[in-house]
């Protein structure tokens, strides 16, 4: 009888530890937004594209070696019509981390990768900070928002 009681107590203690680790986990959704000048593909050929910057960022995220299961890309969208250069792009990710600190590090890394993706698109189009297109910034700008 004593062995059964001890086994039951050990099982409940184990379940309690599982609950603690699950409670410590942090998850949430993050939007990475890209903004650029946009334009028509004919008259504005060569301008930076927010969707291209988003695509470059997705590739960087995949190559970054982030922990398995730490993110899922749930949305990648942008632009407003066929035959145009996208002035906006959006990546939405669902994030999972062991705790709040790991979650913050993950968001920080994604912010770094988004900046690198935008910088790669700007460099590919030979656009530098301060360049203007029709009076607007010619560069792709990015922001990361926790939801």
């Amino acid at each position: 009888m004593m062995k059964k009681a001890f086994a039951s107590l050990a099982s409940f203690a184990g379940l309690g530890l599982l609950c603690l680790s699950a409670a410590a986990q942090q998850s949430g959704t993050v939007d990475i937004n890209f903004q650029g000048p946009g334009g028509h593909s004919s008259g504005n050929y060569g301008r930076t594209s927010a969707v291209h910057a988003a695509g470059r960022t997705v590739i960087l995220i995949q190559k970054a070696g982030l922990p398995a299961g730490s993110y899922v890309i749930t949305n990648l969208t942008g632009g407003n019509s066929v035959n145009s250069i996208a002035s906006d792009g959006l990546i939405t990710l669902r994030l999972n981390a062991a705790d709040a600190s790991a979650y913050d590090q993950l968001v920080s890394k994604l912010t770094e990768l988004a900046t690198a993706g935008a910088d790669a698109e700007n460099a590919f189009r030979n656009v530098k900070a301060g360049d203007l297109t029709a009076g607007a910034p010619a560069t792709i700008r990015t922001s990361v928002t926790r939801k």
Side-chain angles (χ1 to χ4, degrees), residues 26-140:
Q26 174 128 7
S27 63
T29 303
V30 172
D31 280 345
I32 304 175
N33 289 286
F34 299 86
Q35 288 297 129
H40 190 276
S41 63
S42 176
N44 304 124
Y45 179 80
R47 282 190 185 176
T48 54
S49 169
V51 169
H52 289 190
R56 292 174 193 278
T57 300
V58 167
I59 291 167
L60 291 172
I61 290 169
Q62 291 173 336
K63 291 181 176 180
L66 299 174
S70 64
Y71 74 94
V72 175
I73 296 174
T74 59
N75 187 32
L76 172 62
T77 188
N80 56 6
S81 70
V82 175
N83 219 19
S84 68
I85 300 168
S87 61
D88 62 287
L90 170 69
I91 304 170
T92 302
L93 300 101
R94 178 81 179 149
L95 305 181
N96 295 298
D99 55 34
S101 176
Y103 187 86
D104 289 343
Q105 290 174 358
L106 190 55
V107 172
S108 224
K109 183 64 175 177
L110 289 171
T111 302
E112 176 187 315
L113 294 170
T115 299
D119 289 349
E121 174 63 9
N122 291 330
F124 181 77
R125 304 290 176 190
N126 199 28
V127 174
K128 296 167 202 64
D131 288 353
L132 298 176
T133 298
T139 55
I140 299 294

